Amino acid sequence: MMHDDQILDIRRIMEMLPHRYPFLLVDRVLEFEPGQRLKAMKNVTMNENFFQGHFPGLPVMPGVLQLEALAQAGGIMVMNSLKEPLGDKVFLFTGLNKVKFRRPVVPGDQLVLNVFFEKSKLNIYKMRGVAEVDGQVTAQGEFSAAVANKGDM
């Protein structure tokens, strides 16, 4: 668990998320208020494997990967807001609503990931996410996720 005055680096993030290269899309947690909000960031570089095909000569980060980065940040927020560790459970993305893409994300950008807790019921969590570069919104949406047993998958 983290405290609100802690910044999480990549090693701590990798202890919390099961994602690995090339799908770990959160580099650092900058701010955290348990059960309220989390602010993280992803440095976007030309070395990202998706730029090979999206698009040759015009590298643009896919919008769905911006949403995935927000979902991963949301997973970190929820896991660190729970009263007990996940243990043998996993946090799964279950839905998206009101998604908008506002601006392209390109190599050299620092994608700031803001996630806000909305509500939870049983094992379902609802969040709102806003991704930004230089204070301009790039993607936003509402997310739902569930805590599930790995053995049930």
Side-chain angles (χ1 to χ4, degrees):
M1 296 289 174
M2 65 184 279
H3 302 287
D4 55 339
D5 61 344
Q6 288 181 305
I7 293 176
L8 292 185
D9 64 12
I10 193 66
R11 291 175 305 218
R12 295 275 317 281
I13 290 167
M14 289 175 73
E15 291 171 6
M16 290 179 222
L17 292 179
H19 306 79
R20 293 297 179 264
Y21 174 85
F23 221 68
L24 180 57
L25 300 174
V26 177
D27 290 330
R28 180 177 294 261
V29 172
L30 304 170
E31 299 173 13
F32 174 65
E33 292 177 44
Q36 298 293 314
R37 69 178 193 90
L38 181 135
K39 181 177 185 176
M41 63 96 161
K42 162 77 178 135
N43 287 313
V44 180
T45 75
M46 191 60 199
N47 291 324
E48 310 287 350
N49 66 349
F50 50 78
F51 285 135
Q52 293 176 39
H54 198 271
F55 301 100
L58 183 66
V60 175
M61 182 179 190
V64 294
L65 292 182
Q66 294 176 55
L67 297 177
E68 174 64 26
L70 284 166
Q72 289 180 20
I76 295 168
M77 177 182 66
V78 170
M79 283 187 280
N80 282 286
S81 298
L82 295 174
K83 302 226 183 313
E84 54 190 59
L86 278 182
D88 198 34
K89 296 184 180 187
V90 65
F91 194 69
L92 298 172
F93 212 1
T94 58
L96 288 168
N97 285 304
K98 299 181 182 173
V99 170
K100 302 273 188 221
F101 299 107
R102 304 283 187 194
R103 171 199 184 282
V105 176
V106 298
D109 283 345
Q110 186 174 79
L111 190 63
V112 177
L113 308 164
N114 297 288
V115 288
F116 306 91
F117 178 82
E118 295 286 319
K119 63 182 178 178
S120 66
K121 186 175 183 181
L122 301 174
N123 66 333
I124 305 289
Y125 297 85
K126 298 209 181 255
M127 299 161 263
R128 181 172 48 88
V130 180
E132 300 175 331
V133 170
D134 296 328
Q136 295 182 319
V137 174
T138 65
Q140 63 191 62
E142 297 173 353
F143 307 86
S144 59
V147 175
N149 292 314
K150 287 180 187 174
D152 294 343
M153 297 176 59

